[in-house]
């Protein structure tokens, strides 16, 4: 948990540091005591002043709120009027369109004019129209689906005229407005909470629309406001100063200045964010501070991402080559024309003019550029976009990516890097939540140095796992609705909310439809049955039962018992869990309630005052005194028989139905664990906690402070007044490394000191064991404060809290002052199970030649253990660990490890090396002078595990590998701590799971389980890459092949730029006749079936090595294209030479055969042909022939210079035409046909072999598959045999032995982290 | 689509498990290996060879005779005369004698041929006005700017037909004589019916006027003749009044620009109604009387007369039959090689072994 919290915090700090620069630069300028007016004058530029819109300062309001935006939002790019100019303007930002435009304009120059003016415009117009339609549709949908709805929502806003709250649309809300909201309403703008109907001035919000987290969060009314009655906006004299709008969701700073010049600090807890939902609170009133696009939610809405894929970069290079080719061809023609002209005297067919041959050649150069324009495959860009949309359609519709528990599919957020999925060489994975479930389950604990193994609990977990697996299995076989329903009941813990961009605008998807049926309790965060059910350890129960037995009279036992009770008390209260019960539904109805009466009715029914229903049923004075004595320690207590009854009664019956909503899964796990020992958290309000202790009934604990978790401290604390002893007690829960250091022996009795020492020693031992088992460890400690100590601390803490500018630092310091001299109570081990099929996925990725790195914030031991569990580490692997404290040591270590590795390699053997680096070492290794060594070392390792790494380091590592090794990287993670890494990597994948939606929001693809990665990469990645690469090559081929036909003709027409085709047909040839089949080819072609691709991950390597699109492939394709065009030109040429054929008659068979060649070429290249292919290929051919036929009949004077009237009709009635077409097509395709056949027979690539396997019958297929896998396994076993002999090899499973230096250093390793 | 399904319950977002969406459409995969392409290769080879032989036989049954008359026979003096532009208006007649060894059976076509005349030059080709030729009155007096600089004559009158193509029209005329034992006689030629049907009936029309009684000369009043022409367009064929104006067949033939610099154009077709030409051109001595007008020396060109018969597969061109034969043999050779490859690698899927 620490790691998660810590990294999340760090990340937020990073974001804050980035976005805050310049916005909020002079923190020390504000809280001085100079007059506020002066401040305003100075700081208006940097901050925002908000005053009530209908308040007393009317005149001032206008000037102050001048710069603020209204609440209407517009996520559309265009309006009706601006669409055409804006869209055109944006489209002409593309180089391709500019190229077209240039050609069009060139054609307007009379001396270089090649075609009719209209004709050159066609490609441009078609492309512009296609894109404009696409843009318009997208924009319209955005407007219709989200903006209109969001802007049109109704909320209650205070109106001065009517002196009351009236309904207004969201878009009419302004900064400074007072807005009243009821339960379940969505917040229309960022508002300061001024009033809440809750007695404690608290309101709860659900941020699912913002970050996907469904647990409730508390917000507080601004302090020192008159409470009780609803506040009247007319009398709101205060003025609010706050930061300018920014996108940091977790920070809000400012102050409110009352007329009396008193100032109250404002912070994040006072701010209600737009598009969150009010829950569990009857009415709230707030003042709008940021509206519309200035709200934090909108500022965070960055829209879809644009990345450029590797293949596209490669392709752009080749387009440059095309340009070179074009220039060469045009130059040839220009020079040829000049020379040809010079050799001619005045011929009767020459138009008399005075242009010199050189100038004529120059003009011709430009003419040729127009004529040969198609050589630059500009339509390729549009085609690629369409193809990628198609590919994404199929990825999104893959039923294998569907997760029944979450009812979610894969989300493709980046639309243009599908083919990068097929070229990944490095995968960087987070651990928690990515490899593991992030479903924390309490596994075992140690209290006061005694370990409680919870054997029964472990067994129970196994059972759950099996059940779940069965359920999964069932879900795959059964498709009936009924079984699906039962499954969904099982999966209550899942968050069903999905965050799309639209929900950020305040529109929750599928509203109304989603209302769960009353029998299905709404899923609550982190409380699956598995997490709830903790089977208590019998021994520990027995000890706890001592509370009611005479045994506890013994001194030692009672000492231990206090530890135990304190331990569970800490588990129960040291958290930020929100408690609710199911008969207090949060999701009554999502539609806004119609009237106040309705709301009141509702609340009478459901929302009874919390503590009245939860009042302790069995609290008696005697218990108190009894336990009071217990906690006073050492005083013998008398045993009264009445106690026994009470304990028996304590079985949770009516209270069983509590729902805990925690911010992180391990908090919930701990609370549930405490509950299993009847130490139940019943209520959690701002000032009081209600806890039920065994033998004591319910106790109200006075909550003094919560020192929330932060990453620097890596712990959280609560300060409470103990209900029994009335002492001030600090309960702290945190990372073992930190707590162990802070847990010093209390000054006092020597006996207790030695006892503490013993406990520490024992606990440390247990902690090491836990880590080795792969458990997440947490230490629990407490500290009793004397009231004077507390007074002193309180004073300084109050100062820290009220200070505005340095608040964070002061609060941190204050917390650190409190959390010293802790008494160690014990530690917990929480298990985070691996997700299903993780080992298989990792193994498949490794077989596919992908290097998997695990970057985690966890401890080294835990990380290694998980790595073993998911087969990232094999028993035969040689483990290299790098832990060091200084840069020099790090350098030496790197060299040493390298040498060791060379040794290992020389010893011929290990199946691979795995490097384990901790965060501190990583920091040195990432420095400029060491990163080379580090990379060199890690490059030779099969896997690298970076533990204790910060989010920043994660992204640095990814960037380093990506930039220095020039490889394709993929980062996968689920939490906010992975965001930076996801953004840096070539492909970022977010896992939508337990940790909110931040990772998903910044990712390119969002999946729900790690195992989906296997199919995503191995199948879809492979397909997308091969498809796209082949399609691009095909496009180049197609254009070169066709354009060269025109070029060859220049040698027979005096290089004058004539074309033997009608110019309409020429333009349409690319645009219509041959454009659709390649698209289908790019979307649907399958070289190998999905099953085979999954079973043989090695096939992925072809994509990694860019096999489908090598430089050689490109040039071979070019050569083939040139050969084909030569055939396609010269066969008709010789067939028609010396005849009376006119130019268009000569062009007709050339066009027809080139069309056939181009289409059949695709048939040869395609690996699969479905009826769709057949339809489109035939359709294209038919379209061409019918078009030319109709054109040759209908077109009488169209396209003046070369009028096609009658040409094709005549040609197609002559046998010669077909004779020419047949021979040309055959000859042109022969080499490629032969090459394919020979290549596939003599030296087939793996892909081809696999494709051949697909064609076998099932039996042969299985046999062949086995043989293939055997050959793979053989190489593996070979190395295994050698490895066993190798002395370096660690002993294989099941007991993975850690290197010795790791063992002894684990405690220090932890403490090194800061 | 999405809306309707959204109500379907807990599995609302589950994608359709259809063959199309899951990319499981039944497909034919043309996996090319030596084994699979062998039958195809052998088949193709046989088809090509057979086709080649058949076509070769067909083509061998056609005849063609070319007579270059640029400065052959008595045309030498005309050639010299045409070197000087000043003599453009002087007529020059010459005769070329040749011999036909085998009878040309069937329809015999009489062509004139030009060597090195680039009718396919872009600027040349563009220099015409199809609108004028189709008889639009607007274009008759106001030709398209494409015709520049042959748009107005020196009197400022619009040229009909305008443009470089019409201007450079071939204007030699021929009379073919047959010299047999019975004496010399003119070989009868059809000078009409040598154009495409669509050209004659759709694409080329004389200007339409309301007053049907007007003569063609009156219709073309107010236009000038092309600069290099000796006769105006309405007077091209003095013997057939219906073969004048834009629908003159020689003009139409000329206006269909040839694909290559060396080309031939149809001049006439043998009239086989008259003895002794009912079977075609009998073997014997022939001569051509030429009215030598067209200058070719400026572009190092040559002129020729071509007599030819045609089969269903066109004129005498051996390229295609030979190409089919060669291709067939090539494919056969490749098929043999592939068979060897198949024996070595492809049998029983041995290529699958690692």
């Amino acid at each position: 948990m620490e790691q998660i919290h810590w990294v999340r915090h760090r990340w937020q700090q990073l974001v804050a540091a980035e976005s805050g620069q310049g916005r909020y630069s002079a923190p020390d300028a504000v809280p001085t005591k100079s007059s506020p007016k002066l401040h305003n004058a100075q700081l208006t530029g940097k901050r925002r002043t908000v005053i009530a819109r209908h308040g007393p300062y009317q005149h001032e309001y206008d000037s102050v709120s001048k710069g603020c935006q209204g609440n209407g939002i517009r996520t559309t790019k265009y309006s009706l009027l601006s669409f055409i100019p804006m869209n055109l303007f944006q489209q002409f930002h593309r180089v391709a369109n500019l190229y077209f435009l240039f050609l069009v304009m060139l054609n307007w120059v009379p001396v270089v004019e090649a075609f009719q003016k209209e004709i050159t415009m066609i490609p441009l117009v078609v492309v512009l129209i296609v894109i404009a339609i696409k843009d318009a549709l997208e924009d319209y949908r955005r407007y219709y689906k989200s903006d209109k709805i969001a802007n049109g929502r109704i909320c209650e806003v205070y109106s001065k005229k009517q002196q009351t709250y009236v309904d207004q649309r969201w878009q009419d809300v302004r900064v400074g407005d007072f807005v009243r909201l009821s339960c379940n309403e969505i917040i229309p703008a960022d508002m300061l909470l001024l009033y809440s109907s809750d007695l404690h001035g608290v309101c709860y919000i659900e941020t699912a629309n913002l970050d996907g987290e469904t647990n409730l969060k508390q917000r507080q009314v601004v302090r020192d406001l008159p409470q009780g009655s609803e506040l009247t906006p007319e009398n709101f004299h205060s003025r609010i100063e706050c930061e300018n709008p920014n996108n940091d969701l977790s920070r809000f700073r400012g102050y409110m200045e009352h007329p009396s010049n008193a100032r109250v600090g404002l912070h994040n807890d006072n701010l209600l964010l737009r598009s969150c939902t009010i829950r569990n609170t009857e009415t709230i009133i707030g003042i709008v501070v940021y509206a519309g696009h200035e709200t934090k939610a909108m500022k965070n809405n960055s829209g879809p991402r644009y990345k450029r894929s590797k293949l596209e970069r490669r392709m752009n290079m080749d387009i440059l080559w095309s340009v070179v080719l074009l220039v060469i061809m045009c130059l040839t023609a220009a020079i040829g024309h000049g020379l040809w002209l010079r050799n001619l005297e005045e011929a009767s067919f020459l138009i008399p003019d005075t242009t010199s041959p050189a100038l004529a050649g120059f003009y011709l150069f430009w003419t040729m550029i127009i004529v040969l324009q198609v050589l630059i495959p500009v339509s390729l860009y549009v085609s690629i976009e369409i193809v990628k949309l198609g590919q994404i359609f199929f990825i999104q519709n893959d039923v294998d990516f569907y997760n029944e528990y979450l009812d979610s599919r894969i989300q493709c957020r980046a639309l243009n890097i599908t083919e990068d999925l097929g070229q990944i060489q490095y995968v960087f994975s987070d651990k928690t939540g990515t490899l593991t479930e992030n479903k924390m389950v309490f596994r075992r604990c140690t209290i006061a140095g005694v370990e409680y193994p919870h054997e029964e609990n472990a067994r129970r977990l196994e059972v759950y796992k099996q059940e779940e697996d069965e359920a999964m299995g069932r879900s795959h076989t059964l498709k009936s609705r009924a079984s699906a329903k039962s499954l969904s009941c099982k999966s209550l813990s899942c968050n069903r909310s999905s965050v799309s961009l639209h929900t950020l605008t305040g529109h929750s998807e599928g509203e109304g439809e989603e209302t769960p049926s009353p029998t299905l309790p709404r899923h609550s965060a982190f409380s699956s049955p598995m997490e709830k059910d903790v089977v208590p350890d019998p021994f520990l129960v027995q000890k706890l039962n001592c509370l009611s037995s005479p045994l506890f009279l013994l001194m030692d036992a009672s000492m231990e018992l206090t530890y135990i009770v304190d331990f569970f008390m800490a588990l129960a209260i040291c958290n930020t869990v929100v408690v609710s019960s199911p008969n207090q539904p949060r999701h009554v109805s999502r539609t806004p309630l119609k009237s106040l009466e309705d709301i009141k009715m509702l609340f009478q029914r459901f929302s009874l005052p919390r503590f009245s229903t939860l009042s302790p049923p069995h609290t008696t004075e005697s218990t108190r005194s009894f336990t009071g004595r217990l906690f006073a320690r050492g005083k013998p207590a008398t045993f009264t028989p009445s106690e026994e009854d009470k304990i028996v009664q304590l079985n949770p019956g009516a209270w069983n139905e509590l729902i805990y909503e925690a911010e992180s899964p391990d908090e919930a796990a701990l609370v549930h664990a405490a509950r299993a020992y009847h130490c139940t958290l019943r209520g959690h309000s701002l000032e009081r906690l209600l806890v039920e202790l065994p033998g004591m009934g319910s106790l109200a604990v006075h909550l003094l402070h919560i020192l929330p978790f932060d990453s620097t401290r890596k712990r959280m604390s609560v300060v409470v007044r103990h209900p029994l002893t009335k002492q001030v007690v600090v309960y702290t829960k945190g990372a073992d490394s930190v707590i162990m250091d802070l847990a010093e022996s209390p000054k006092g009795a020597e006996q207790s000191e030695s006892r503490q020492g013993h406990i520490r020693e024992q606990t440390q031992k247990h902690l090491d064991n836990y880590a080795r088992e792969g458990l997440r460890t947490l230490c629990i400690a407490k500290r009793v404060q004397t009231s004077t100590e507390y007074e002193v601390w309180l004073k300084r803490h109050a100062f820290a809290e009220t200070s505005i500018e340095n608040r964070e630092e002061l609060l941190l310091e204050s917390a650190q002052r409190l959390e010293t001299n802790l008494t160690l109570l014990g530690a917990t081990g929480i298990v985070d199970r691996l997700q299903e099929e993780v080992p298989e996925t990792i193994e498949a990725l490794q077989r596919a030649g992908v290097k998997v790195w695990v970057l985690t914030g966890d401890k080294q031991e835990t990380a290694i253990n998980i790595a073993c569990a998911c087969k990232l580490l094999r028993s035969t692997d040689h483990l290299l660990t790098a832990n060091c404290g200084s840069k020099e040591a790090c350098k030496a270590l790197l060299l040493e490890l390298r040498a060791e590795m060379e040794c290992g390699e020389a010893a011929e053997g290990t199946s691979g090396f795995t490097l384990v680096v901790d965060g501190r070492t990583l920091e040195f290794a990432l420095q400029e002078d060491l990163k080379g060594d580090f990379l060199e070392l890690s490059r030779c390792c099969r896997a690298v595990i970076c533990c204790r790494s910060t989010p920043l380091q994660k992204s640095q590592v990814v960037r380093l590998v990506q930039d220095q090794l020039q490889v394709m990287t993929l980062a996968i993670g689920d939490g906010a701590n992975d965001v930076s890494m996801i953004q840096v990597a070539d492909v970022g994948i977010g896992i939508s799971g337990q940790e909110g939606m931040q990772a998903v929001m910044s990712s390119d693809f969002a999946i729900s389980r790690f195992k989906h990665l296997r199919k995503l990469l191995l199948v879809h990645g492979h397909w997308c890459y091969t498809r796209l690469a082949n399609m691009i090559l095909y496009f180049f081929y197609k254009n070169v092949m066709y354009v060269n036909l025109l070029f060859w003709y220049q040698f027979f027409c005096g290089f004058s730029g004539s074309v033997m085709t009608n110019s309409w047909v020429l333009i349409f040839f690319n645009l219509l006749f041959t454009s659709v089949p390649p698209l289908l080819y790019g979307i649907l072609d399958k070289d190998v079936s999905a099953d085979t691709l999954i079973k043989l991950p090695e096939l992925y390597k072809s994509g990694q090595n860019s096999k489908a699109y090598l430089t050689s492939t490109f040039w071979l394709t070019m050569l083939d294209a040139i050969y084909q065009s030569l055939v396609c030109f010269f066969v008709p040429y010789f067939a028609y030479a010396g005849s009376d054929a006119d130019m268009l008659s000569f062009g007709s068979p050339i066009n027809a055969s080139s069309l056939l060649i181009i289409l059949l070429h695709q048939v040869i290249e395609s690996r699969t042909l479905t009826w769709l292919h057949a339809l489109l290929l035939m359709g294209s051919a038919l379209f061409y022939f019918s078009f030319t036929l109709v054109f040759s009949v209908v077109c009488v004077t169209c396209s003046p210079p070369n009028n096609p009237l009658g040409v094709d009709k005549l040609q197609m009635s002559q046998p010669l035409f077909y004779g020419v077409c047949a021979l040309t097509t055959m000859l042109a395709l022969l080499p490629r046909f032969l090459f394919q056949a020979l290549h596939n027979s003599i030296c087939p690539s793996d892909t081809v072999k696999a494709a051949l396997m697909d064609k076998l019958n099932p039996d042969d297929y299985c046999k062949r598959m086995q043989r293939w896998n055997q050959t793979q396994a053989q190489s593996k076993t070979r190395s295994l045999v050698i490895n066993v002999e190798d002395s370096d090899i660690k002993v294989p499973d099941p007991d993975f032995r850690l290197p010795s230096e790791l063992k002894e250093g684990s405690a220090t390793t932890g403490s090194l982290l800061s | 689509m999405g809306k309707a399904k959204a109500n379907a319950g807990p599995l609302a977002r589950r994608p359709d498990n259809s063959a199309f969406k899951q990319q499981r459409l039944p497909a034919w995969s043309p996996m090319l290996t030596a084994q699979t392409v062998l039958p195809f290769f052998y088949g193709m080879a046989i088809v090509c060879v057979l086709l080649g032989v058949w076509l070769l036989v067909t083509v061998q049954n056609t005849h063609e005779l070319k007579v270059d008359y640029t400065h052959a026979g008595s045309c030498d003096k005309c050639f010299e005369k045409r070197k000087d532009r000043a003599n453009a208006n002087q007529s020059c007649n010459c005769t070329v004698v040749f011999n036909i060894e085998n009878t040309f059976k069937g329809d015999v076509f009489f062509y004139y041929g030009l060597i090195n005349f680039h009718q396919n030059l872009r600027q040349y080709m563009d220099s015409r006005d199809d609108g004028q030729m189709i008889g639009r009155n607007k274009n008759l007096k106001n030709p398209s700017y494409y015709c520049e600089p042959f748009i107005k004559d020196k009197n400022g009158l619009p040229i009909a037909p305008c443009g470089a193509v019409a201007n450079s029209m071939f204007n030699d005329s021929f009379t073919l004589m047959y010299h047999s034992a019975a004496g010399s006689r003119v070989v009868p030629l059809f000078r009409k019916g040598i154009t495409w049907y669509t050209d004659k009936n759709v694409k080329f029309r004389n200007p339409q006027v309301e007053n049907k009684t007007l003569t063609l000369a009156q219709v073309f009043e107010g236009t000038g003749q092309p600069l290099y022409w000796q006769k105006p367009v309405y007077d091209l064929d003095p013997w057939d009044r219906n073969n004048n104006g834009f629908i003159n067949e020689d003009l139409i033939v000329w206006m269909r620009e040839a694909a290559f610099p060396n080309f031939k154009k149809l001049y006439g077709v043998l009239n086989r109604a008259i003895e002794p030409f009912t079977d075609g051109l009998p073997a014997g001595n022939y001569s051509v009387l030429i009215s030598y007008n067209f200058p070719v020396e400026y572009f190092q060109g040559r002129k020729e007369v071509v007599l030819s018969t045609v089969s269903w597969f066109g004129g005498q061109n051996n390229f295609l039959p030979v190409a089919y034969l060669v291709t067939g043999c090539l494919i056969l050779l490749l098929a043999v090689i592939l068979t060897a490859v198949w024996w070595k690698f492809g049998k029983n899927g041995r290529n699958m072994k690692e």
Side-chain angles (χ1 to χ4, degrees), chain A residues 808-980:
Chain A
E808 279 93 359
E809 293 85 49
L810 288 171
L811 279 175
L812 178 69
E813 202 184 302
S814 162
Q816 277 169 345
R817 260 200 315 279
L818 192 68
E819 293 157 342
T820 48
N821 292 335
L822 299 171
T823 312
L824 184 67
L825 295 172
T828 57
I830 295 172
V831 70
D832 185 8
R833 284 189 320 154
L834 272 190
Q835 286 184 14
E836 72 275 11
E837 288 180 45
V838 166
E840 290 87 341
T841 307
I842 289 197
E843 201 194 338
L845 287 180
Q846 288 192 332
R847 271 179 70 183
V850 178
K851 288 193 175 177
V852 181
W853 289 35
V854 172
L855 309 176
T856 174
D858 263 335
K859 293 178 61 171
Q860 196 158 355
E861 294 85 341
T862 319
I864 292 175
N865 211 291
I866 293 284
C868 273
C870 62
K871 297 210 178 136
L872 183 66
L873 264 177
R874 295 197 203 124
S875 48
T876 53
D877 275 1
H878 189 144
L879 200 68
L880 308 168
T881 38
N883 302 320
C884 54
S886 73
K887 198 169 160 186
E888 287 70 33
C890 179
K891 186 166 186 171
L893 188 65
L894 287 177
L895 291 174
E896 191 186 311
L897 288 174
R898 183 113 182 79
E900 190 181 334
M901 187 186 286
E902 270 154 15
C903 273
E905 268 167 6
E908 175 126 6
T910 32
S911 58
F913 294 89
T914 302
L915 181 67
V916 181
V917 193
D918 73 347
R920 193 176 163 82
T921 316
L922 197 59
E923 206 172 309
F924 299 122
L926 287 176
Q927 282 170 13
E928 200 58 44
D929 41 345
L930 286 185
K931 69 183 182 191
D933 290 335
F934 173 64
L935 272 178
E936 199 55 36
L937 182 65
S938 55
R939 204 166 54 153
C940 307
C941 294
R942 210 165 44 101
V944 175
I945 300 165
C946 301
C947 39
R948 294 288 194 199
S949 52
T950 62
L952 185 66
Q953 281 178 338
K954 287 184 180 182
S955 66
Q956 279 172 340
V957 169
V958 176
R959 196 187 296 274
L960 181 73
V961 171
Q962 188 173 314
D963 293 352
Q964 302 288 318
L965 297 183
Q966 302 284 321
V967 289
M968 292 295 287
T969 56
L970 177 146
I972 178 166
D974 73 322
N977 55 337
D978 308 314
V979 166
S980 51

Side-chain angles (χ1 to χ4, degrees), chain A residues 513-628:
Chain A
E513 300 158 355
E514 225 179 74
T515 320
S517 61
T519 49
L520 280 176
R522 165 78 189 192
H523 324 134
S524 62
F526 314 130
S527 41
S528 69
M530 193 180 78
E531 286 160 39
K532 277 186 200 158
D533 276 5
V534 176
V535 183
D537 190 82
F539 190 48
L540 190 54
V541 172
Q542 202 184 335
K543 279 192 182 167
L544 263 175
N545 281 342
C546 289
L547 271 179
S548 53
S549 76
L551 269 175
F552 87 101
L553 290 171
L554 291 166
M555 179 75 173
D556 257 11
S558 73
M559 261 305 271
E560 197 184 350
L561 207 53
T562 48
Y563 270 97
I564 292 170
V565 174
D566 263 340
F567 180 81
F568 285 115
M569 179 99 160
L571 289 192
I573 65 173
C574 186
N575 51 46
T576 52
V577 169
V578 175
V579 189
S580 58
S581 61
N583 44 358
Q584 217 184 3
R586 298 155 58 200
H587 305 266
V588 183
S589 138
R590 286 220 169 179
T591 44
L593 296 161
K594 284 182 189 83
S595 68
L596 206 64
E597 269 70 29
D598 281 345
I599 301 167
K600 277 184 181 154
M601 289 264 291
L602 212 82
F603 274 83
Q604 275 162 4
R605 271 175 59 204
F606 296 121
S607 182
L608 301 159
R610 196 167 290 151
F611 281 97
S612 68
T613 51
L614 300 174
S615 64
H618 302 293
T619 313
T620 56
E621 193 51 43
S622 65
T623 334
R624 285 213 175 150
S625 61
F626 151 65
T627 33

Side-chain angles (χ1 to χ4, degrees), chain A residues 113 117 340 345-352 367 393-394 397-399 402 404 407 409 481 484 498 509 513 1020 1023 1027 1049 1052-1054 1056-1058 1086 1131 1133-1135 1137-1138 1140-1143 1145-1146 1163-1164 1166-1170 1172 1196-1197 1200-1201 1203 1205 1207 1210 1215-1216 1219-1220 1222-1223 1226 1233-1234 1236-1238 1240-1242 1249 1251-1252 1255 1264 1271, chain B residues 6-8 10-15 17 20-34 37 40-41 44 48 85 111 116-118 120-128 130 134 136 145-146 149-150 164 168 196 198 202-203 228 256-261 264 298-300 312-313 317 319-320 323-324 327 330-331 334 338 341 345 351-354:
Chain A
E113 179 188 339
K117 295 179 178 66
W340 182 80
E345 290 158 44
E346 38 183 328
S348 48
F349 52 84
L350 283 183
I351 309 252
T367 307
F393 171 81
F394 281 113
N397 272 296
D398 192 323
V399 82
Y402 177 71
E404 274 144 353
D407 187 27
R409 332 172 160 187
R481 281 275 293 279
S498 72
E509 236 171 71
E513 300 158 355
H1020 286 285
W1023 279 348
R1027 285 167 179 176
Y1049 190 60
F1052 301 95
C1053 68
S1056 62
S1058 293
K1086 265 198 308 196
V1131 169
Y1133 171 76
F1134 286 117
D1140 59 344
D1142 67 290
M1143 206 163 79
S1145 302
F1146 170 64
V1163 174
I1164 294 180
S1166 302
R1167 258 60 65 100
T1168 45
L1169 291 167
T1170 63
L1172 267 172
V1196 178
T1197 52
N1203 187 318
L1205 187 75
V1207 173
L1210 199 71
L1216 182 63
V1220 167
L1223 182 69
M1226 206 156 52
F1233 200 67
L1234 186 72
Q1236 288 258 353
L1238 283 179
N1240 291 351
S1241 305
I1242 296 175
K1249 283 186 210 164
L1252 283 169
K1255 302 185 84 176
R1264 185 120 343 137
T1271 39
Chain B
N7 293 321
L11 299 179
R13 289 158 190 252
R14 187 194 182 109
N17 199 357
F20 173 67
K21 284 194 175 173
Q22 302 309 317
Q23 309 192 48
R24 280 188 272 109
L25 283 178
W28 174 61
S29 11
M31 175 54 69
L32 303 176
T33 59
V37 298
F40 182 77
F41 265 65
M44 287 311 288
C48 281
R85 280 258 158 90
Y111 300 91
N116 206 20
F117 187 94
H118 282 74
N120 55 10
L121 212 61
R122 184 172 54 86
Q123 292 90 342
Y124 175 85
M125 289 173 56
D126 287 358
S127 185
R128 59 188 283 168
D130 285 347
I134 206 172
R136 287 191 188 132
Y145 67 93
Y146 276 110
F150 303 102
S168 62
W196 294 8
T198 45
V202 183
K203 205 174 165 184
Y228 295 174
R256 187 156 281 287
E257 296 105 339
F260 308 113
K264 64 183 184 190
Y298 302 116
F299 51 88
Q300 294 94 46
W312 59 270
F313 201 66
N317 186 338
F319 172 76
L320 219 50
Y324 265 109
T327 311
L330 184 71
I331 294 178
L334 293 174
L338 274 174
V341 167
F345 294 97
N351 59 338
M352 290 308 301
K353 281 189 185 166
E354 284 287 313

Side-chain angles (χ1 to χ4, degrees), chain A residues 1002-1022:
Chain A
S1002 58
S1003 65
D1004 301 314
F1005 297 90
I1007 52 180
S1008 50
R1009 310 299 280 169
F1010 185 77
K1011 66 171 179 180
H1012 292 161
L1013 198 61
R1014 171 152 65 151
K1015 193 174 184 194
L1016 187 63
L1017 292 190
L1018 297 186
V1019 179
H1020 286 285
H1022 178 91

